[in-house]
Amino acid sequence: MKNSPDRKSQPELIEIGAVDIQEAKPYKLDNGVPVYYINSGFQDLVKVELLFLNRTFDPTNGLLHSATNRMLGEGTSKHNAQQLADGVDYYGAFYETEENADYCTVNLYTLNKHLESTLPYLREMITDAVFPESELGVYKQNNKQRLIVENEKVGSLARRKFNEILFGNKHPYGFYVEPTDFDKLNRSVLQTYHKQQYLSNHCVIIVSGMIGEGTLSLLNKFFGDKNWSGAQATPFAVAEMNYTGDKKQFIAKEGAVQSAIRIGRRLFNRNHPDYPGMAVLNTVLGGYFGSRLMSNIREDKGYTYGIGSALVSMKQEGYFFISTEVGADVTIPALTEIYKEIDLLKTELVDEEELEMVRNYMRGTFIKGIESAFHLADRFRSLHLHGLGYDYYQKYLEKVRTIQPEEIKALANKYLDSSMFYELVVGRK
């Protein structure tokens, strides 16, 4: 067969040089709502993302912002939940919500030719949600039951408890959800929060895909008026990160065949100058399938199916953690090997072959992360939330390309101090 690929010879290695990242362009609706648009792609699709930073956090009702966001599509004064879903489905479109401790988004995916027909539904959800009692009851019951089931899993318990250990239960980053928290939700508090949160002077729109003048005009038609404005946005009340418990903790889960392990510490977010270097260090340790933790604890020792480490960057702060689930009988040996790998990074230089593998992996992953309009929108959102410009990504890639073993060792000694780590094990005694 002509033009078939040569599968017997290794492809030529080509170093990734400077990366040209398509930047989001600014636009402003008539009412002042900032729009950032990325015109890219070959399919007649568009994604409209409405982003609202969380303005408040009440630790006595910590599910309020996520519940409000998820309930937006459960009914308006004109349509019930089924009618909203059917209306959007009819055009082959769909919407989704996303929530975390920093922000909430509502995203619409649609063909451009149906944008004018689907945006009214998005407008209704944002400005006219009524939070019906019946739908709220279903939401509370389903999610409460789901949480009760999740609490039987050591991994789920470890994930939520570890965030509480790092940030404290009164902080949105560390809020530990209990099944009874769903009982605190009622229609009145959701309606009040909705009126404070989903306002034009608190909204940023990110639109990506095939963008034309018609796209921006339609956004202005449905979201550019002043009828959904409100009082000037109040700044987010930063809660205290107040955890003062033991550095090493164990949660007994009788009958568990595996132990969930989390080790880590609070750290900085991507605004910090050491973040790119720490990203390389993290990848060497546990950030990809060929990492040291995977090679040792999965491939060599066979203690786990998977183990990894990560840097998490949030608006106010960040953290570093190692996570795995191991057989209950090898919990202690696994912990020993984890700390051994950390110590090796602090005492020995990473060899050039391993470092080049990590460099190539990170650069390739970055390229994959900007291959579509929707990926570019995600990259832009991250920059926007951290108040960074596109030059951040060029500096990040340059650090990945040029970092030397001595710098990785220095970063390990600076930030992987075991006395700063919290260690959590959930499993059977």
Side-chain angles (χ1 to χ4, degrees):
M1 181 182 296
K2 293 183 178 179
N3 300 323
S4 59
D6 178 8
R7 302 190 185 282
K8 296 181 179 178
S9 304
Q10 177 178 310
E12 181 183 359
L13 289 175
I14 301 175
E15 183 177 352
I16 298 172
V19 177
D20 183 18
I21 304 172
Q22 182 176 344
E23 299 185 7
K25 295 182 178 179
Y27 181 77
K28 191 163 283 190
L29 303 186
D30 289 346
N31 58 0
V33 171
V35 176
Y36 299 92
Y37 65 96
I38 298 167
N39 184 18
S40 181
F42 302 99
Q43 296 179 306
D44 195 24
L45 293 169
V46 67
K47 173 188 175 185
V48 179
E49 175 177 348
L50 274 67
L51 184 150
F52 302 87
L53 289 178
N54 297 333
R55 295 170 65 172
T56 60
F57 175 74
D58 179 1
T60 66
N61 202 349
L63 292 173
L64 185 54
H65 72 272
S66 60
T68 303
N69 203 52
R70 293 186 191 186
M71 289 287 297
L72 291 176
E74 299 301 327
T76 67
S77 64
K78 297 177 183 175
H79 299 96
N80 62 32
Q82 188 64 54
Q83 290 168 332
L84 285 171
D86 289 346
V88 175
D89 283 349
Y90 177 79
Y91 295 102
F94 70 97
Y95 66 88
E96 64 181 9
T97 61
E98 179 185 346
E99 309 84 22
N100 64 29
D102 287 325
Y103 63 85
C104 293
T105 67
V106 185
N107 308 319
L108 172 70
Y109 298 80
T110 183
L111 293 171
N112 266 307
K113 63 181 180 181
H114 295 315
L115 184 60
E116 186 167 14
S117 300
T118 50
L119 278 179
Y121 291 104
L122 187 62
R123 164 79 185 216
E124 271 191 57
M125 295 176 203
I126 297 297
T127 62
D128 190 31
V130 296
F131 308 101
E133 289 283 6
S134 58
E135 300 294 345
L136 179 58
V138 172
Y139 170 84
K140 290 162 62 175
Q141 181 179 355
N142 288 348
N143 284 278
K144 187 175 181 178
Q145 186 60 37
R146 185 176 296 117
L147 182 61
I148 291 171
V149 172
E150 286 295 313
N151 281 346
E152 296 303 312
K153 302 175 183 176
V154 292
S156 177
L157 277 174
R159 173 175 51 79
R160 292 188 294 115
K161 184 66 178 177
F162 191 69
N163 282 8
E164 182 195 33
I165 289 173
L166 291 182
F167 299 104
N169 199 28
K170 293 184 178 179
H171 194 278
Y173 294 163
F175 177 67
Y176 186 90
V177 184
E178 297 282 5
T180 53
D181 287 317
F182 289 98
D183 299 332
K184 300 174 184 176
L185 299 171
N186 63 63
R187 188 184 180 203
S188 176
V189 297
L190 265 63
Q191 287 175 317
T192 300
Y193 185 75
H194 175 256
K195 290 178 181 176
Q196 299 170 347
Q197 174 78 355
Y198 295 89
L199 301 171
S200 62
N201 51 352
H202 188 49
C203 177
V204 173
I205 298 177
I206 303 171
V207 55
S208 52
M210 289 188 70
I211 311 296
E213 288 189 5
T215 308
L216 300 176
S217 297
L218 286 173
L219 287 175
N220 203 43
K221 176 181 177 180
F222 289 103
F223 291 101
D225 61 275
K226 296 183 178 179
N227 294 330
W228 63 302
S229 64
Q232 187 64 34
T234 54
F236 185 86
V238 179
E240 182 181 358
M241 299 178 188
N242 59 353
Y243 187 78
T244 57
D246 295 336
K247 285 290 179 62
K248 292 191 177 184
Q249 296 198 30
F250 175 80
I251 298 176
K253 196 68 180 173
E254 295 304 322
V257 296
Q258 288 193 310
S259 297
I261 296 173
R262 287 226 164 193
I263 298 171
R265 57 164 296 186
R266 279 165 50 186
L267 204 60
F268 38 73
N269 60 19
R270 67 179 71 249
N271 294 78
H272 194 282
D274 281 342
Y275 185 89
M278 278 299 293
V280 179
L281 166 59
N282 170 68
T283 306
V284 172
L285 177 63
Y288 74 125
F289 194 82
S291 71
R292 293 186 174 193
L293 290 175
M294 284 289 279
S295 298
N296 180 354
I297 296 169
R298 173 193 153 100
E299 301 298 322
D300 186 26
K301 303 298 187 303
Y303 292 159
T304 181
Y305 288 112
I307 182 170
S309 63
L311 289 177
V312 179
S313 177
M314 301 171 291
K315 188 171 177 59
Q316 294 182 35
E317 200 166 327
Y319 63 98
F320 163 81
F321 73 98
I322 296 166
S323 174
T324 188
E325 291 181 33
V326 302
D329 56 330
V330 294
T331 303
I332 300 302
L335 287 167
T336 301
E337 293 300 323
I338 289 171
Y339 286 112
K340 173 186 165 186
E341 293 297 340
I342 292 172
D343 287 339
L344 283 174
L345 283 170
K346 295 161 66 177
T347 55
E348 298 181 4
L349 295 176
V350 178
D351 70 53
E352 187 56 38
E353 182 179 358
E354 180 184 11
L355 184 54
E356 191 58 24
M357 173 76 79
V358 168
R359 289 190 184 114
N360 290 336
Y361 170 79
M362 293 182 72
R363 286 179 288 186
T365 302
F366 185 88
I367 295 294
K368 189 177 179 181
I370 58 172
E371 65 183 4
S372 74
F374 298 166
H375 288 122
L376 287 166
D378 291 341
R379 292 285 186 182
F380 168 75
R381 182 180 60 195
S382 180
L383 292 178
H384 179 77
L385 289 170
H386 288 89
L388 295 167
Y390 276 96
D391 61 329
Y392 166 79
Y393 287 132
Q394 299 301 342
K395 293 176 181 175
Y396 171 87
L397 290 170
E398 182 63 12
K399 175 58 69 176
V400 171
R401 189 180 72 83
T402 62
I403 192 168
Q404 296 300 308
E406 291 80 5
E407 184 176 351
I408 293 176
K409 182 180 175 184
L411 288 170
N413 279 283
K414 189 175 182 180
Y415 296 116
L416 300 189
D417 181 352
S418 299
S419 67
M420 298 295 292
F421 285 157
Y422 286 93
E423 176 188 302
L424 172 66
V425 176
V426 182
R428 73 169 186 258
K429 291 183 178 177

